[in-house]
Amino acid sequence: MTVDAEYGRYERMRPDELSAMVAKSPVAYWPLGLLEHHGWHLPIGFDGLKADGLCERLARRVGGIILPTMWWGGGGGHHVFRWTHYQPESAYAEIVTNTVGQLFDHGFRAIVLLAGHYPWQQTLDRIVPSLRADNDQGLILAGTELTVGGDLGLSGDHAALEETSYGLALFPDLVDMKAMTSGRGGSDIWPKSGPPEKSEQHPAVEFDPAQPLFAQMGQDPRMGSGARGTYSANTLLDELQQQLEQFLHR
Ligand SMILES: [Zn+2]
């Protein structure tokens, strides 16, 4: 039986606790998500919850400190769905850039920016190179679960087979497969601004609320399982654990 590494949650820790833990495990984990419609069966914060669940499992293996999830993001074409919040990229990019610099300044040596929302990738591609150059003694692992560990053969989608399987593995109590009903309609589906014009509809996304796969993009999530999500998660976590331990013990 393996014993969990010591890890903590940044916002819950006192200064002495932070000092002691950073001296021992100088790794910060930052789940990057956003609030976005993820089908009838998944929570609105799905991407951040997925990233947080992966960060927590990684912290349990390696040790370190998890930052509060970055809930403000954007990009990806789901802004037309009710309950979704997209922010300007300049706003969230600046928060991530500033915070990463501060974390290194406070003594962290490795920072994991794990994005649960795939359009974070473009932002990370834009901001991470200069962050690495400014902190060349440190390690920054950045990307979505499809990229942060390199190409591990994992697949992604939106609220469909893959993401639903992560949900069933990481937080099954927040997933309600029975909520994917058909025949829905009515005035409570869209924001007050109404449904999007056809020209605004991503061709691979289901825009008909009467379909059980509404707002999804990908293969049918009813084929998903916790076992599938656990397998994908462990594939990623094994790789990230190895990269972090190699850096910390060199
Ligand atoms: Zn997602």
Side-chain angles (χ1 to χ4, degrees):
M1 191 177 143
T2 50
V3 180
D4 284 358
E6 269 184 71
Y7 72 95
R9 297 243 169 208
Y10 201 98
E11 72 278 17
R12 300 175 66 90
M13 298 172 76
R14 292 181 295 275
D16 292 337
E17 294 175 310
L18 285 165
S19 297
M21 195 163 290
V22 169
K24 212 171 135 196
S25 304
V27 187
Y29 305 87
W30 197 2
L32 307 178
L34 85 171
L35 303 171
E36 181 184 65
H37 199 302
H38 266 75
W40 297 123
H41 64 309
L42 296 178
I44 289 298
F46 180 84
D47 288 340
L49 294 167
K50 174 181 60 173
D52 179 81
L54 293 168
C55 283
E56 184 171 292
R57 278 158 182 76
L58 188 56
R60 222 183 268 162
R61 293 176 180 215
V62 178
I65 298 170
I66 305 165
L67 268 80
T69 299
M70 174 66 176
W71 287 115
W72 310 116
H78 267 67
H79 57 286
V80 292
F81 287 92
R82 196 177 181 194
W83 318 120
T84 297
H85 297 267
Y86 280 11
Q87 310 301 338
E89 199 215 13
S90 57
Y92 55 84
E94 195 170 343
I95 291 174
V96 173
T97 301
N98 290 342
T99 306
V100 168
Q102 291 157 0
L103 290 169
F104 280 122
D105 196 31
H106 294 323
F108 287 96
R109 293 179 52 222
I111 297 174
V112 180
L113 301 174
L114 182 46
H117 180 61
Y118 304 122
W120 268 109
Q121 185 71 50
Q122 286 96 63
T123 306
L124 293 171
D125 287 346
R126 199 164 63 68
I127 64 176
V128 167
S130 60
L131 286 170
R132 286 193 175 126
D134 291 347
N135 303 281
D136 57 359
Q137 301 300 305
L139 174 71
I140 300 176
L141 299 180
T144 71
E145 74 268 14
L146 304 181
T147 60
V148 66
D151 184 3
L152 304 171
L154 299 173
S155 304
D157 56 27
H158 180 75
L161 171 65
E162 305 296 348
E163 284 204 322
T164 299
S165 296
Y166 278 112
L168 291 169
L170 299 172
F171 39 86
D173 51 322
L174 301 182
V175 180
D176 181 5
M177 299 301 283
K178 291 193 291 295
M180 273 185 286
T181 52
S182 55
R184 289 181 189 234
S187 57
D188 63 342
I189 302 286
W190 299 98
K192 284 180 185 165
S193 48
E197 302 290 330
K198 265 268 180 276
S199 61
E200 263 196 275
Q201 297 184 6
H202 190 297
V205 173
E206 178 58 73
F207 278 87
D208 180 358
Q211 297 299 323
L213 307 188
F214 178 61
Q216 298 179 28
M217 180 172 67
Q219 290 175 267
D220 195 324
R222 291 168 291 198
M223 307 284 285
S225 67
R228 185 185 181 96
T230 298
Y231 177 81
S232 302
N234 284 337
T235 303
L236 178 67
L237 297 176
D238 289 349
E239 174 63 27
L240 295 180
Q241 178 180 6
Q242 205 235 315
Q243 289 188 27
L244 284 169
E245 286 176 346
Q246 200 169 23
F247 171 79
L248 294 170
H249 301 145
R250 69 184 178 169

